[in-house]
Amino acid sequence: MHKMYQGINGFALKDNRPLNRAELLEVVPSIFAIEGHESRSSRFAPVATIDIVDRLAQENYFPMYAIQSNVRDTTKRDYTKHMLRFRQPGKVEGEANEIILVNANDGTSAYQLMAGQFRFVCANGLVMGEMSHNTKIYHKGNGTKGTGVMDDVIEGVYTVVKDFDEIERYKDEMKKIDLNISERDSFAIAAYVLKEGIPQGGDFNNAVFQPRSLLSHKGLNTTDKYDTSLYSTFNTVQQHLMQGGQAGFNPDTGRRRTSRAITNIDKNISLNSSLWTMATKLVDGRLTLKNAEPEEILDF
């Protein structure tokens, strides 16, 4: 599955085996920075991503996806924002837990660590938003313990793994929730707004594309199992949002237009996280109603 391609504002590399150092150096040289870019002040506390790569390898987590942003200032190429997705080798089907790392040593990003999942059937990576152990560490100060930022970084590596059980619980609940067509339409509309915003005048005749197209299986992996559960709906919509390509027409000019793929690291994480959060809130709402007393339902 070794593949290099033009990806999120830069070249990306992914495989179903650990990426080696030569590959990482070619695609994401900024992970090897051990100091901040020359534009940073003496107060800037660099985080060497390669040290995290080595530490995660001790826990049997290896980078299988890597990307870094393009930069206009060539002096920042070896310091700029990058994203790595780690998982344990050996699994080649179903879904696998991932640790997602975002960092930069040029001042464009804090160090971020969050939970994710990889679905082999569609070779698609998910980002789980608002999980309790997501970590963001700013490049300044001497860490929360006074022993350096790196100690906070390492602690974040271990705590984010604690979210995996909660993710599985939410996934199981999503698979049990069957959505009717109205509910699926509402989910697609909400997802559309997350990416494209509310259409001009609030009129979806002015939309870049019709939200219902996010529910289509066209263009998706034909071996995937599709149904009307919340989990299947979430995955279908997520793939379309990331890939783009939904067709529509400009109501003013009549010209054909097409939605764009997500081509920005921050947008990828933000949209993925928001979509996951939206789905988990639906789960929480259903569980609240299911377990509520009659008078509590009236107040819900």
Side-chain angles (χ1 to χ4, degrees):
M1 187 181 163
H2 179 80
K3 182 180 181 182
M4 183 186 290
Y5 60 97
Q6 186 71 28
I8 307 169
N9 275 12
F11 282 100
L13 182 66
K14 66 179 177 179
D15 210 319
N16 279 338
R17 53 130 181 110
L19 303 177
N20 61 47
R21 258 180 164 61
E23 293 167 333
L24 293 172
L25 184 60
E26 178 183 5
V27 179
V28 283
S30 57
I31 75 169
F32 293 90
I34 59 174
E35 58 186 9
H37 182 258
E38 61 185 16
S39 63
R40 299 299 90 200
S41 73
S42 59
R43 293 177 298 176
F44 184 84
V47 175
T49 300
I50 191 61
D51 290 345
I52 310 305
V53 173
D54 292 338
R55 184 63 66 93
L56 279 170
Q58 297 176 17
E59 303 300 323
N60 200 34
Y61 279 92
F62 298 90
M64 299 193 189
Y65 175 96
I67 190 167
Q68 81 171 41
S69 296
N70 281 332
V71 288
R72 294 181 179 179
D73 183 350
T74 56
T75 69
K76 290 188 174 184
R77 180 175 183 269
D78 291 339
Y79 303 88
T80 194
K81 184 182 296 183
H82 46 267
M83 178 169 71
L84 302 178
R85 301 183 73 116
F86 299 80
R87 63 180 186 268
Q88 296 179 321
K91 194 169 185 178
V92 294
E93 60 182 19
E95 297 167 335
N97 292 322
E98 289 190 320
I99 296 174
I100 302 169
L101 182 156
V102 177
N103 190 29
N105 282 308
D106 64 354
T108 57
S109 176
Y111 172 90
Q112 301 174 64
L113 201 67
M114 61 208 82
Q117 286 216 331
F118 184 83
R119 299 188 71 235
F120 289 92
V121 70
C122 57
N124 195 39
L126 309 175
V127 181
M128 282 46 184
E130 293 190 13
M131 300 303 293
S132 56
H133 296 101
N134 284 0
T135 298
K136 178 177 283 190
I137 299 171
Y138 295 95
H139 293 268
K140 60 182 180 180
N142 200 28
T144 58
K145 299 177 180 178
T147 56
V149 172
M150 186 57 72
D151 283 347
D152 289 344
V153 169
I154 298 302
E155 183 175 344
V157 167
Y158 295 115
T159 57
V160 75
V161 175
K162 297 177 182 178
D163 284 327
F164 291 152
D165 287 343
E166 186 177 2
I167 289 169
E168 289 300 321
R169 180 183 70 80
Y170 271 118
K171 284 170 49 182
D172 289 343
E173 292 299 331
M174 288 181 195
K175 292 173 183 178
K176 298 174 186 176
I177 296 176
D178 190 58
L179 302 180
N180 59 40
I181 186 60
S182 177
E183 291 170 327
R184 298 183 78 231
D185 279 344
S186 294
F187 191 89
I189 291 171
Y192 173 95
V193 172
L194 286 176
K195 181 180 181 181
E196 306 288 351
I198 299 174
Q200 182 180 358
D203 185 354
F204 275 87
N205 289 322
N206 297 325
V208 177
F209 60 89
Q210 289 305 302
R212 182 170 282 188
S213 63
L214 296 174
L215 302 173
S216 170
H217 302 152
K218 184 178 180 180
L220 303 184
N221 193 310
T222 56
T223 63
D224 203 353
K225 296 180 180 179
Y226 301 103
D227 54 41
T228 56
S229 70
L230 173 57
Y231 189 63
S232 181
T233 301
F234 161 75
N235 278 293
T236 300
V237 169
Q238 189 267 355
Q239 288 182 70
H240 281 308
L241 287 183
M242 295 300 114
Q243 296 171 6
Q246 291 75 47
F249 292 90
N250 186 313
D252 297 324
T253 65
R255 293 181 178 177
R256 187 180 181 87
R257 59 185 179 183
T258 305
S259 66
R260 298 179 178 181
I262 300 301
T263 58
N264 178 275
I265 290 175
D266 290 337
K267 184 68 173 177
N268 178 284
I269 292 172
S270 174
L271 185 55
N272 255 307
S273 297
S274 296
L275 196 65
W276 170 258
T277 299
M278 186 168 71
T280 58
K281 286 183 176 179
L282 284 175
V283 171
D284 291 339
R286 289 290 183 102
L287 291 177
T288 299
L289 287 175
K290 179 180 178 181
N291 299 320
E293 296 296 330
E295 61 271 17
E296 293 177 311
I297 294 176
L298 295 175
D299 295 331
F300 182 70

